[in-house]
Amino acid sequence: MTLFDVVAAVKDPELRVLNVAELGILRDVTVDGDAVTVTITPTYSGCPAMDLIRADIESALHEAGVSVVAVKTVLDPPWTTDMITPEGRSKLAAAGIAPPGPVFIQLSVRCPRCGSRATEQLSRFGSTACKSLWRCTSCLEPFDAVKAI
Amino acid sequence: MSHVGYVLGLADDALITAQRLGEWCSRAPEMEEDIALANIALDQLGVARMLLSHAGELEGRGRTEDDLAFLRSEHEFRNVRLVELDNGDFAVTMAKLLFLSVYQRLLYDWSIGVGDERLAAVAAKARKESAYHVDHSSRWVVRLGDGTEESHRRMQAAIDLVWPYTHQLFAADRDVHALDVAGIVVDPSTLRPAWLEAVDAVLTEATLTRPAVTEQAEGGRAVHTEALAKLLADMQVLHRAHPGARW
Protein backbone atom coordinates (compact mmCIF):
# COMPACT_ATOMS: atom_id res chain seq x y z
CA MET A 1 0.00 0.00 0.00
CA THR A 2 1.54 3.30 -1.06
CA LEU A 3 1.32 6.44 1.07
CA PHE A 4 -1.07 7.84 -1.52
CA ASP A 5 -3.37 4.87 -0.86
CA VAL A 6 -3.11 5.47 2.90
CA VAL A 7 -4.28 9.05 2.47
CA ALA A 8 -6.85 8.16 -0.18
CA ALA A 9 -8.50 5.70 2.24
CA VAL A 10 -9.42 8.47 4.70
CA LYS A 11 -13.21 8.87 4.82
CA ASP A 12 -15.08 12.12 4.43
CA PRO A 13 -16.66 12.73 7.86
CA GLU A 14 -19.95 14.02 6.44
CA LEU A 15 -20.33 11.65 3.49
CA ARG A 16 -19.03 8.60 5.34
CA VAL A 17 -19.41 6.29 2.33
CA LEU A 18 -16.81 8.24 0.34
CA ASN A 19 -13.09 8.53 0.86
CA VAL A 20 -11.25 11.76 0.07
CA ALA A 21 -10.06 10.49 -3.31
CA GLU A 22 -13.57 9.49 -4.42
CA LEU A 23 -14.88 12.87 -3.27
CA GLY A 24 -12.23 14.50 -5.47
CA ILE A 25 -10.67 16.69 -2.78
CA LEU A 26 -7.28 14.93 -2.65
CA ARG A 27 -4.92 16.74 -5.00
CA ASP A 28 -1.45 15.44 -4.24
CA VAL A 29 0.75 13.40 -1.91
CA THR A 30 4.50 14.09 -2.07
CA VAL A 31 7.25 12.38 -0.13
CA ASP A 32 10.51 14.14 0.73
CA GLY A 33 12.71 11.96 2.92
CA ASP A 34 10.76 11.41 6.16
CA ALA A 35 8.28 14.18 5.44
CA VAL A 36 4.99 13.78 3.61
CA THR A 37 3.02 16.71 2.23
CA VAL A 38 -0.62 16.21 1.38
CA THR A 39 -2.54 18.75 -0.70
CA ILE A 40 -6.33 18.92 -0.42
CA THR A 41 -9.02 21.35 -1.57
CA PRO A 42 -12.25 22.25 0.26
CA THR A 43 -15.64 21.39 -1.22
CA TYR A 44 -17.39 24.51 0.14
CA SER A 45 -15.57 27.61 1.44
CA GLY A 46 -17.01 27.10 4.90
CA CYS A 47 -16.96 23.29 4.98
CA PRO A 48 -16.72 22.55 8.72
CA ALA A 49 -15.30 19.08 8.03
CA MET A 50 -11.96 20.37 6.74
CA ASP A 51 -10.28 20.48 10.15
CA LEU A 52 -11.37 16.94 10.88
CA ILE A 53 -10.22 15.70 7.47
CA ARG A 54 -6.83 17.30 8.07
CA ALA A 55 -6.56 15.60 11.46
CA ASP A 56 -7.68 12.23 10.03
CA ILE A 57 -5.08 12.41 7.26
CA GLU A 58 -2.36 13.22 9.79
CA SER A 59 -3.27 10.33 12.07
CA ALA A 60 -3.56 7.87 9.15
CA LEU A 61 -0.03 8.77 8.04
CA HIS A 62 1.31 8.64 11.61
CA GLU A 63 -0.16 5.14 11.95
CA ALA A 64 1.59 4.21 8.70
CA GLY A 65 4.88 5.25 10.33
CA VAL A 66 5.30 8.71 8.87
CA SER A 67 6.51 11.18 11.50
CA VAL A 68 6.45 14.51 9.67
CA VAL A 69 3.13 15.35 8.01
CA ALA A 70 1.99 18.62 6.48
CA VAL A 71 -1.51 19.05 5.07
CA LYS A 72 -1.80 21.98 2.67
CA THR A 73 -5.05 23.46 1.41
CA VAL A 74 -5.27 24.88 -2.12
CA LEU A 75 -8.24 26.62 -3.72
CA ASP A 76 -7.25 26.63 -7.37
CA PRO A 77 -8.76 25.08 -9.42
CA PRO A 78 -11.98 25.21 -7.36
CA TRP A 79 -13.62 21.89 -6.51
CA THR A 80 -16.71 20.98 -8.44
CA THR A 81 -19.01 17.99 -8.06
CA ASP A 82 -17.71 16.85 -11.46
CA MET A 83 -14.59 15.78 -9.52
CA ILE A 84 -16.49 13.05 -7.64
CA THR A 85 -15.36 9.78 -9.22
CA PRO A 86 -17.79 7.35 -10.93
CA GLU A 87 -17.18 4.89 -8.09
CA GLY A 88 -17.95 7.63 -5.59
CA ARG A 89 -21.25 8.34 -7.35
CA SER A 90 -22.27 4.69 -7.18
CA LYS A 91 -21.44 4.58 -3.46
CA LEU A 92 -23.51 7.70 -2.78
CA ALA A 93 -26.51 6.25 -4.60
CA ALA A 94 -26.13 2.94 -2.74
CA ALA A 95 -26.16 4.88 0.55
CA GLY A 96 -29.43 6.62 -0.33
CA ILE A 97 -27.87 9.97 -1.25
CA ALA A 98 -28.62 11.10 -4.82
CA PRO A 99 -25.31 11.78 -6.61
CA PRO A 100 -24.96 15.08 -8.47
CA GLY A 101 -25.47 15.29 -12.24
CA PRO A 102 -22.95 17.04 -14.48
CA VAL A 103 -22.62 20.74 -13.64
CA PHE A 104 -24.43 23.10 -16.07
CA ILE A 105 -26.78 20.39 -17.34
CA GLN A 106 -30.17 20.61 -15.69
CA LEU A 107 -31.30 17.06 -15.00
CA SER A 108 -34.01 15.84 -12.72
CA VAL A 109 -32.75 14.12 -9.59
CA ARG A 110 -33.36 10.39 -9.53
CA CYS A 111 -34.67 8.83 -6.30
CA PRO A 112 -31.85 6.73 -4.84
CA ARG A 113 -34.39 4.29 -3.37
CA CYS A 114 -36.77 3.43 -6.24
CA GLY A 115 -34.99 5.08 -9.17
CA SER A 116 -37.95 7.24 -10.17
CA ARG A 117 -37.35 10.65 -11.74
CA ALA A 118 -40.61 11.92 -10.27
CA THR A 119 -38.96 13.86 -7.45
CA GLU A 120 -39.38 17.32 -5.97
CA GLN A 121 -37.02 19.61 -4.15
CA LEU A 122 -38.07 20.41 -0.58
CA SER A 123 -35.21 22.79 0.17
CA ARG A 124 -32.18 24.11 -1.65
CA PHE A 125 -30.18 23.50 1.53
CA GLY A 126 -29.79 20.23 3.42
CA SER A 127 -28.14 18.60 6.40
CA THR A 128 -24.65 19.62 5.25
CA ALA A 129 -23.35 22.44 3.02
CA CYS A 130 -23.00 20.12 0.03
CA LYS A 131 -26.53 18.66 0.03
CA SER A 132 -30.12 19.67 -0.71
CA LEU A 133 -33.34 18.05 0.51
CA TRP A 134 -35.66 16.15 -1.87
CA ARG A 135 -38.71 13.89 -1.87
CA CYS A 136 -39.67 11.16 -4.29
CA THR A 137 -43.29 11.57 -5.40
CA SER A 138 -43.44 7.90 -6.52
CA CYS A 139 -42.30 6.08 -3.37
CA LEU A 140 -42.73 9.14 -1.09
CA GLU A 141 -39.29 8.67 0.43
CA PRO A 142 -37.45 11.88 1.43
CA PHE A 143 -33.74 11.88 0.59
CA ASP A 144 -30.59 14.00 0.43
CA ALA A 145 -28.99 14.92 -2.90
CA VAL A 146 -25.47 16.23 -3.44
CA LYS A 147 -25.83 19.65 -5.12
CA ALA A 148 -24.12 20.04 -8.48
CA ILE A 149 -21.72 22.97 -8.21
CA MET B 1 -8.16 52.51 0.79
CA SER B 2 -5.09 50.29 0.69
CA HIS B 3 -4.99 46.79 -0.78
CA VAL B 4 -5.13 45.37 2.77
CA GLY B 5 -8.10 47.60 3.57
CA TYR B 6 -9.88 46.41 0.45
CA VAL B 7 -9.43 42.72 1.31
CA LEU B 8 -10.44 43.42 4.93
CA GLY B 9 -13.59 45.10 3.60
CA LEU B 10 -14.64 41.99 1.67
CA ALA B 11 -13.69 39.76 4.61
CA ASP B 12 -15.62 41.83 7.16
CA ASP B 13 -18.71 42.03 4.93
CA ALA B 14 -18.73 38.22 4.88
CA LEU B 15 -17.88 37.81 8.58
CA ILE B 16 -20.54 40.19 9.90
CA THR B 17 -23.11 38.68 7.53
CA ALA B 18 -22.25 35.22 8.88
CA GLN B 19 -22.69 36.43 12.46
CA ARG B 20 -26.06 38.06 11.73
CA LEU B 21 -27.41 35.04 9.83
CA GLY B 22 -26.18 32.78 12.61
CA GLU B 23 -28.48 34.68 14.98
CA TRP B 24 -31.43 33.14 13.11
CA CYS B 25 -30.34 29.65 14.11
CA SER B 26 -33.29 28.00 15.94
CA ARG B 27 -35.44 31.12 15.33
CA ALA B 28 -36.23 30.96 11.60
CA PRO B 29 -39.88 30.71 10.45
CA GLU B 30 -39.51 27.02 9.53
CA MET B 31 -36.91 24.30 9.93
CA GLU B 32 -35.80 24.26 6.27
CA GLU B 33 -35.18 27.99 6.55
CA ASP B 34 -33.20 27.53 9.73
CA ILE B 35 -30.93 25.11 7.89
CA ALA B 36 -30.72 27.32 4.80
CA LEU B 37 -29.68 30.42 6.76
CA ALA B 38 -27.12 28.46 8.79
CA ASN B 39 -25.67 27.06 5.55
CA ILE B 40 -25.43 30.51 3.99
CA ALA B 41 -23.80 31.79 7.18
CA LEU B 42 -21.29 28.95 6.94
CA ASP B 43 -20.42 29.83 3.33
CA GLN B 44 -19.91 33.46 4.36
CA LEU B 45 -17.77 32.44 7.32
CA GLY B 46 -15.58 30.26 5.10
CA VAL B 47 -14.92 33.15 2.72
CA ALA B 48 -14.31 35.48 5.68
CA ARG B 49 -11.70 33.13 7.15
CA MET B 50 -9.76 32.81 3.89
CA LEU B 51 -9.85 36.55 3.25
CA LEU B 52 -8.93 37.50 6.83
CA SER B 53 -5.88 35.21 6.62
CA HIS B 54 -4.99 36.81 3.31
CA ALA B 55 -5.39 40.33 4.73
CA GLY B 56 -3.21 39.39 7.70
CA GLU B 57 -0.45 38.16 5.39
CA LEU B 58 -0.70 41.21 3.12
CA GLU B 59 -0.43 43.42 6.19
CA GLY B 60 2.73 41.62 7.27
CA ARG B 61 2.36 42.20 11.01
CA GLY B 62 1.77 38.57 11.88
CA ARG B 63 -1.94 38.91 12.63
CA THR B 64 -3.99 35.72 12.12
CA GLU B 65 -7.63 35.34 11.10
CA ASP B 66 -8.55 35.00 14.79
CA ASP B 67 -6.62 38.14 15.77
CA LEU B 68 -8.46 40.07 13.10
CA ALA B 69 -11.90 38.66 13.89
CA PHE B 70 -11.75 38.77 17.66
CA LEU B 71 -9.24 41.43 18.69
CA ARG B 72 -10.20 44.42 16.58
CA SER B 73 -12.56 47.04 17.94
CA GLU B 74 -15.52 48.57 16.19
CA HIS B 75 -13.71 51.41 14.40
CA GLU B 76 -11.18 48.93 12.94
CA PHE B 77 -13.84 46.89 11.15
CA ARG B 78 -14.22 47.62 7.42
CA ASN B 79 -17.63 46.11 6.66
CA VAL B 80 -20.37 48.18 5.05
CA ARG B 81 -23.13 49.33 7.40
CA LEU B 82 -25.72 47.31 5.44
CA VAL B 83 -24.50 44.00 6.87
CA GLU B 84 -24.32 45.08 10.51
CA LEU B 85 -27.94 46.31 10.71
CA ASP B 86 -30.15 44.30 13.05
CA ASN B 87 -31.89 41.31 11.49
CA GLY B 88 -35.26 42.95 12.00
CA ASP B 89 -38.18 40.86 10.83
CA PHE B 90 -37.62 38.13 8.24
CA ALA B 91 -38.31 40.54 5.36
CA VAL B 92 -35.49 42.84 6.50
CA THR B 93 -33.06 39.92 6.63
CA MET B 94 -34.07 38.87 3.11
CA ALA B 95 -33.75 42.42 1.75
CA LYS B 96 -30.25 42.67 3.26
CA LEU B 97 -29.26 39.27 1.90
CA LEU B 98 -30.60 40.00 -1.60
CA PHE B 99 -28.72 43.30 -1.91
CA LEU B 100 -25.50 41.90 -0.46
CA SER B 101 -25.47 38.59 -2.31
CA VAL B 102 -26.13 40.15 -5.73
CA TYR B 103 -23.19 42.49 -5.03
CA GLN B 104 -20.96 39.64 -3.85
CA ARG B 105 -21.83 37.44 -6.82
CA LEU B 106 -20.90 40.21 -9.27
CA LEU B 107 -17.74 41.12 -7.37
CA TYR B 108 -16.58 37.49 -7.17
CA ASP B 109 -17.46 36.85 -10.82
CA TRP B 110 -15.46 39.86 -11.92
CA SER B 111 -12.57 39.05 -9.57
CA ILE B 112 -11.73 35.79 -11.32
CA GLY B 113 -8.38 36.37 -12.92
CA VAL B 114 -7.44 39.58 -11.06
CA GLY B 115 -3.78 40.18 -10.22
CA ASP B 116 -4.32 39.36 -6.53
CA GLU B 117 -4.20 35.60 -7.13
CA ARG B 118 -5.33 34.58 -3.64
CA LEU B 119 -8.37 36.80 -3.96
CA ALA B 120 -9.04 35.41 -7.43
CA ALA B 121 -8.94 31.83 -6.09
CA VAL B 122 -11.29 32.63 -3.20
CA ALA B 123 -13.64 34.40 -5.63
CA ALA B 124 -13.66 31.48 -8.08
CA LYS B 125 -14.84 29.23 -5.27
CA ALA B 126 -17.26 31.66 -3.61
CA ARG B 127 -19.11 32.69 -6.77
CA LYS B 128 -20.86 29.34 -7.02
CA GLU B 129 -21.98 29.55 -3.40
CA SER B 130 -23.06 33.16 -3.95
CA ALA B 131 -25.34 32.08 -6.79
CA TYR B 132 -27.27 29.96 -4.25
CA HIS B 133 -27.54 32.92 -1.85
CA VAL B 134 -28.90 35.14 -4.61
CA ASP B 135 -31.36 32.45 -5.63
CA HIS B 136 -32.57 31.86 -2.09
CA SER B 137 -33.08 35.52 -1.18
CA SER B 138 -34.66 36.31 -4.58
CA ARG B 139 -37.25 33.58 -4.13
CA TRP B 140 -38.22 34.87 -0.71
CA VAL B 141 -38.40 38.51 -1.83
CA VAL B 142 -40.68 37.49 -4.71
CA ARG B 143 -42.81 35.22 -2.53
CA LEU B 144 -43.29 37.89 0.14
CA GLY B 145 -43.57 40.86 -2.22
CA ASP B 146 -46.05 39.12 -4.51
CA GLY B 147 -47.79 37.37 -1.61
CA THR B 148 -50.51 38.66 0.68
CA GLU B 149 -51.30 42.28 1.38
CA GLU B 150 -49.51 42.01 4.73
CA SER B 151 -46.40 40.27 3.37
CA HIS B 152 -46.20 42.81 0.53
CA ARG B 153 -46.45 45.70 2.98
CA ARG B 154 -43.69 44.30 5.18
CA MET B 155 -41.40 43.39 2.29
CA GLN B 156 -41.76 46.90 0.83
CA ALA B 157 -41.08 48.42 4.27
CA ALA B 158 -37.92 46.30 4.52
CA ILE B 159 -36.70 47.40 1.09
CA ASP B 160 -37.37 51.04 2.01
CA LEU B 161 -35.50 50.67 5.29
CA VAL B 162 -32.43 48.95 3.88
CA TRP B 163 -32.12 50.66 0.50
CA PRO B 164 -30.20 53.79 1.60
CA TYR B 165 -27.45 51.55 2.99
CA THR B 166 -26.80 49.94 -0.41
CA HIS B 167 -25.09 53.05 -1.79
CA GLN B 168 -22.04 52.43 0.35
CA LEU B 169 -21.35 49.16 -1.49
CA PHE B 170 -20.40 51.18 -4.56
CA ALA B 171 -18.57 54.07 -2.92
CA ALA B 172 -15.74 55.32 -5.12
CA ASP B 173 -12.22 55.31 -3.68
CA ARG B 174 -9.20 56.75 -5.47
CA ASP B 175 -6.75 54.09 -4.27
CA VAL B 176 -9.11 51.23 -5.12
CA HIS B 177 -9.63 52.74 -8.55
CA ALA B 178 -5.84 52.77 -9.04
CA LEU B 179 -5.64 49.11 -7.94
CA ASP B 180 -8.39 48.32 -10.45
CA VAL B 181 -6.58 50.11 -13.26
CA ALA B 182 -3.47 48.09 -12.36
CA GLY B 183 -5.57 44.91 -12.66
CA ILE B 184 -5.02 43.87 -9.03
CA VAL B 185 -8.60 44.05 -7.75
CA VAL B 186 -12.08 45.00 -9.00
CA ASP B 187 -13.38 48.48 -8.14
CA PRO B 188 -16.88 47.89 -6.69
CA SER B 189 -18.10 51.26 -7.97
CA THR B 190 -18.04 49.77 -11.48
CA LEU B 191 -20.54 47.05 -10.49
CA ARG B 192 -23.49 49.32 -9.86
CA PRO B 193 -25.25 49.20 -13.29
CA ALA B 194 -25.14 45.39 -13.34
CA TRP B 195 -26.26 45.25 -9.70
CA LEU B 196 -29.20 47.59 -10.32
CA GLU B 197 -30.31 45.56 -13.30
CA ALA B 198 -30.28 42.31 -11.33
CA VAL B 199 -31.99 43.79 -8.27
CA ASP B 200 -34.60 45.61 -10.38
CA ALA B 201 -35.55 42.34 -12.07
CA VAL B 202 -36.28 40.75 -8.68
CA LEU B 203 -38.14 43.78 -7.32
CA THR B 204 -40.29 43.99 -10.47
CA GLU B 205 -41.24 40.32 -10.27
CA ALA B 206 -42.01 40.85 -6.58
CA THR B 207 -44.30 43.81 -7.43
CA LEU B 208 -42.13 45.99 -5.19
CA THR B 209 -41.07 49.58 -5.80
CA ARG B 210 -37.44 50.57 -5.77
CA PRO B 211 -37.07 53.60 -3.45
CA ALA B 212 -36.07 56.85 -5.12
CA VAL B 213 -33.37 57.74 -2.57
CA THR B 214 -30.21 58.58 -4.47
CA GLU B 215 -27.97 60.41 -2.01
CA GLN B 216 -24.57 58.96 -1.27
CA ALA B 217 -23.78 57.43 2.10
CA GLU B 218 -21.68 59.58 4.38
CA GLY B 219 -18.48 58.24 5.88
CA GLY B 220 -16.32 55.38 4.71
CA ARG B 221 -16.01 51.79 5.87
CA ALA B 222 -14.54 52.85 9.22
CA VAL B 223 -17.83 54.51 10.22
CA HIS B 224 -20.45 52.26 11.76
CA THR B 225 -23.91 52.30 13.29
CA GLU B 226 -24.35 51.46 16.95
CA ALA B 227 -25.51 47.99 15.94
CA LEU B 228 -21.94 46.85 15.24
CA ALA B 229 -20.67 47.41 18.80
CA LYS B 230 -23.43 45.17 20.18
CA LEU B 231 -22.77 42.52 17.55
CA LEU B 232 -19.04 42.50 18.32
CA ALA B 233 -19.67 42.30 22.07
CA ASP B 234 -21.53 39.08 21.40
CA MET B 235 -19.12 37.69 18.79
CA GLN B 236 -15.90 38.48 20.66
CA VAL B 237 -16.79 37.89 24.30
CA LEU B 238 -15.52 34.32 24.54
CA HIS B 239 -12.20 34.95 22.84
CA ARG B 240 -11.56 38.07 24.88
CA ALA B 241 -12.44 36.37 28.18
CA HIS B 242 -10.35 33.29 27.32
CA PRO B 243 -7.62 34.38 24.90
CA GLY B 244 -6.60 31.59 22.55
CA ALA B 245 -9.54 29.37 23.58
CA ARG B 246 -10.08 26.45 21.20
CA TRP B 247 -12.91 23.99 20.72
Side-chain angles (χ1 to χ4, degrees):
Chain A
M1 197 164 167
T2 66
L3 288 176
F4 186 91
D5 296 333
V6 170
V7 177
V10 171
K11 299 283 185 204
D12 177 82
E14 288 186 344
L15 297 165
R16 295 290 312 174
V17 292
L18 298 190
N19 64 41
V20 291
E22 290 160 342
L23 183 59
I25 63 168
L26 177 58
R27 289 275 160 89
D28 197 21
V29 178
T30 57
V31 184
D32 183 16
D34 294 340
V36 174
T37 304
V38 179
T39 308
I40 54 175
T41 192
T43 52
Y44 279 71
S45 300
C47 178
M50 286 304 283
D51 289 333
L52 192 56
I53 292 170
R54 240 176 255 124
D56 287 350
I57 288 174
E58 284 173 15
S59 56
L61 284 171
H62 288 320
E63 272 176 41
V66 178
S67 50
V68 187
V69 178
V71 182
K72 273 194 329 187
T73 304
V74 295
L75 297 177
D76 188 45
W79 180 83
T80 105
T81 39
D82 287 348
M83 293 173 184
I84 299 177
T85 64
E87 196 179 7
R89 285 162 202 274
S90 316
K91 287 186 181 176
L92 281 172
I97 301 168
V103 176
F104 303 127
I105 300 176
Q106 196 64 43
L107 291 171
S108 56
V109 171
R110 191 187 280 272
C111 171
R113 184 173 174 269
C114 73
S116 168
R117 288 205 181 275
T119 58
E120 60 180 5
Q121 190 177 48
L122 297 177
S123 174
R124 299 275 274 170
F125 297 87
S127 56
T128 65
C130 54
K131 286 180 270 176
S132 54
L133 195 57
W134 290 70
R135 174 167 52 207
C136 175
T137 51
S138 301
C139 73
L140 303 179
E141 185 77 3
F143 62 93
D144 274 346
V146 174
K147 295 189 280 204
I149 71 160
Chain B
M1 198 193 306
S2 65
H3 189 181
V4 180
Y6 176 88
V7 175
L8 263 184
L10 300 193
D12 287 346
D13 286 347
L15 177 65
I16 301 302
T17 298
Q19 180 70 15
R20 278 287 182 232
L21 290 177
E23 290 172 9
W24 277 104
C25 203
S26 81
R27 290 168 172 78
E30 56 191 24
M31 194 157 82
E32 285 77 7
E33 193 55 29
D34 216 85
I35 293 168
L37 293 179
N39 268 298
I40 295 172
L42 206 52
D43 289 341
Q44 295 280 353
L45 186 62
V47 170
R49 290 185 59 184
M50 294 189 282
L51 290 179
L52 284 176
S53 297
H54 182 38
E57 285 166 32
L58 279 176
E59 184 189 50
R61 285 168 47 199
R63 291 203 282 183
T64 65
E65 51 173 314
D66 280 356
D67 294 336
L68 289 167
F70 296 123
L71 298 176
R72 278 182 300 157
S73 53
E74 186 192 340
H75 68 278
E76 296 170 287
F77 271 79
R78 292 292 174 269
N79 58 282
V80 289
R81 292 181 285 277
L82 168 71
V83 298
E84 72 199 31
L85 299 177
D86 284 330
N87 280 334
D89 74 1
F90 187 70
V92 172
T93 292
M94 283 304 130
K96 286 173 63 184
L97 185 60
L98 174 69
F99 295 152
L100 176 80
S101 59
V102 171
Y103 161 82
Q104 285 179 325
R105 192 196 56 189
L106 288 167
L107 188 61
Y108 297 153
D109 265 352
W110 292 25
S111 295
I112 293 169
V114 291
D116 180 339
E117 289 175 11
R118 275 280 285 288
L119 181 58
V122 173
K125 185 141 202 67
R127 61 192 282 266
K128 297 190 282 185
E129 296 158 14
S130 254
Y132 268 92
H133 308 168
V134 170
D135 183 68
H136 188 73
S137 50
S138 300
R139 284 166 185 239
W140 268 116
V141 168
V142 169
R143 192 191 298 182
L144 295 173
D146 193 20
T148 65
E149 202 175 307
E150 172 68 1
S151 73
H152 176 86
R153 184 186 66 75
R154 287 168 70 171
M155 195 64 240
Q156 183 66 53
I159 299 286
D160 294 347
L161 175 77
V162 171
W163 184 261
Y165 292 93
T166 60
H167 302 304
Q168 198 192 0
L169 292 167
F170 311 102
D173 180 288
R174 206 190 317 156
D175 299 333
V176 171
H177 177 69
L179 286 166
D180 183 301
V181 171
I184 297 166
V185 303
V186 171
D187 180 354
S189 69
T190 60
L191 303 175
R192 191 161 204 186
W195 181 87
L196 268 179
E197 195 183 324
V199 164
D200 271 344
V202 178
L203 295 183
T204 303
E205 194 188 344
T207 71
L208 296 164
T209 310
R210 188 213 310 163
V213 189
T214 52
E215 76 260 29
Q216 291 297 312
E218 284 183 29
R221 281 173 171 260
V223 179
H224 296 287
T225 67
E226 65 175 14
L228 182 64
K230 293 178 193 164
L231 179 149
L232 293 182
D234 196 27
M235 187 177 88
Q236 297 179 333
V237 62
L238 187 94
H239 192 89
R240 287 183 185 260
H242 306 278
R246 298 184 68 85
W247 287 111

